[in-house]
Amino acid sequence: MSPTQRKTLPLRFALYALLILLSALFIFPFLFMLASSLKDNDAIFTDVESLRAVLPVGDLMLSNYVAVFARGNIGHYLFNSILITVLTVLLGLFVNSLAAYALARLEWSGKQAVIVVLVVMLAVPLEAISVPMMLLVTKLPGLDFSEGIALTSSWLDTMHVQIIPFIANAFSVFLFYQFFRDIPKDFDEAAYIDGASPFQVYRHVIVPSSVPVFATVAILQGLAMWNQYLWPVITVPGEDARPLMIGMQQFFAARRIEWGEVMAYASVITVPILLAFIFFQRWFVRSVVGSGVKG
């Protein structure tokens, strides 16, 4: 070990110790949730004063999960949330990446004005436009598939009212735009010389070079859709199209709170999105690191 490395060793040790401490603080609630979902109320409150609160020890049971699926309509709500999230993310990846490709790689009149509008839209939260959006969707004719295909008087209480308004996303377009503009345009010019169309350049040049940002957008947009609460509350009064987040409120309404069941329901909500993040993690990290290197 060189003298310089020996001098920096205490600093590195302190840095790693701090990172381990922060990691423990962030993972503690998750471990507590999983461990508590396997215990009854008495065991949860007994163990909360010790390290046993985050460990799967004691009389463990799966009855909390059985109760969650048996007493509520969680299977249907889970299916709705997965369908809404997957469709929104897949359609959003295509629509938002195409919009960003047009902004980053093509030349057309009014492009700078659209970029300015896009940046302004980043500062507009859903809460500010949710009521006007709701008034709009109440006037739009929808489709009812319960008995064949029939027109309905509005989009309220449907699946597509939770999908279509969120396919185009300003933040996703901005992420794609930032990534696409850093790809050398020599690739585009070489493809155009070979006779490729703009869409073929997007399909065969831009998309294969942008897997990290696609994974990043998929994670962020999927997380936002999975945790959607305000919009379903005001647009989905019935149970057929209700997502998982709203189902939790309905499940525990007018019932004696069993904290083991609460933690089991929370685990069902958390684990799918956590697994998706773990699956896309390496591309997510590559996107963040790549953005930092490009400045």
Side-chain angles (χ1 to χ4, degrees):
M1 183 180 294
S2 66
T4 302
Q5 290 177 325
R6 280 195 293 268
K7 288 181 181 179
T8 60
L9 185 61
L11 179 61
R12 292 173 60 188
F13 179 80
L15 178 61
Y16 285 128
L18 177 62
L19 292 175
I20 292 173
L21 177 61
L22 291 176
S23 300
L25 291 176
F26 280 109
I27 201 173
F28 178 86
F30 179 73
L31 295 178
F32 176 77
M33 176 188 69
L34 290 180
S36 299
S37 70
L38 301 172
K39 305 174 183 179
D40 58 23
N41 273 1
D42 294 336
I44 292 174
F45 288 105
T46 300
D47 295 344
V48 76
E49 298 179 355
S50 66
L51 192 61
R52 292 170 58 92
V54 297
L55 299 176
V57 294
D59 296 328
L60 303 181
M61 55 187 182
L62 295 176
S63 58
N64 292 325
Y65 289 93
V66 174
V68 165
F69 280 91
R71 289 167 52 187
N73 203 10
I74 186 175
H76 182 66
Y77 300 153
L78 181 62
F79 172 79
N80 288 345
S81 288
I82 292 175
L83 182 63
I84 292 167
T85 301
V86 170
L87 288 179
T88 306
V89 169
L90 291 179
L91 294 173
L93 289 176
F94 180 69
V95 171
N96 296 319
S97 62
L98 272 181
Y101 171 72
L103 292 173
R105 314 296 290 189
L106 305 180
E107 296 298 330
W108 44 278
S109 178
K111 183 174 76 170
Q112 293 303 319
V114 173
I115 294 175
V116 171
V117 172
L118 177 68
V119 173
V120 171
M121 289 176 62
L122 295 175
V124 181
L126 175 63
E127 292 77 5
I129 59 174
S130 58
V131 173
M133 284 176 59
M134 185 194 67
L135 295 176
L136 175 63
V137 297
T138 58
K139 306 298 183 182
L140 295 175
L143 293 176
D144 182 9
F145 297 96
S146 59
E147 297 180 1
I149 301 177
L151 287 176
T152 59
S153 58
S154 75
W155 282 17
L156 294 183
D157 207 15
T158 62
M159 296 290 286
H160 52 270
V161 76
Q162 304 174 75
I163 298 173
I164 296 176
F166 302 98
I167 292 175
N169 183 278
F171 185 66
S172 298
V173 174
F174 186 74
L175 285 180
F176 278 122
Y177 169 76
Q178 290 288 93
F179 196 94
F180 289 171
R181 71 175 186 171
D182 289 326
I183 299 176
K185 289 195 174 182
D186 294 346
F187 298 159
D188 301 28
E189 295 171 358
Y192 286 136
I193 291 174
D194 290 337
S197 65
F199 184 78
Q200 288 174 324
V201 173
Y202 162 82
R203 171 65 181 85
H204 297 289
V205 177
I206 300 300
V207 173
S209 304
S210 307
V211 174
V213 73
F214 272 86
T216 300
V217 171
I219 290 173
L220 296 179
Q221 193 168 8
L223 184 62
M225 293 305 303
W226 188 262
N227 293 329
Q228 189 76 264
Y229 183 83
L230 174 63
W231 184 248
V233 163
I234 63 179
T235 60
V236 186
E239 291 195 9
D240 289 343
R242 181 174 292 163
L244 199 57
M245 288 296 177
I246 310 302
M248 185 174 190
Q249 178 188 12
Q250 184 70 19
F251 179 79
F252 294 106
R255 282 195 178 108
R256 177 178 177 270
I257 295 180
E258 296 288 341
W259 290 106
E261 294 180 11
V262 173
M263 295 303 173
Y265 201 115
S267 300
V268 173
I269 293 175
T270 305
V271 169
I273 200 68
L274 179 64
L275 293 176
F277 178 80
I278 293 174
F279 179 77
F280 290 109
Q281 181 183 14
R282 64 189 180 104
W283 290 291
F284 182 81
V285 173
R286 282 174 56 190
S287 176
V288 173
V289 173
S291 300
V293 171
K294 293 171 186 174

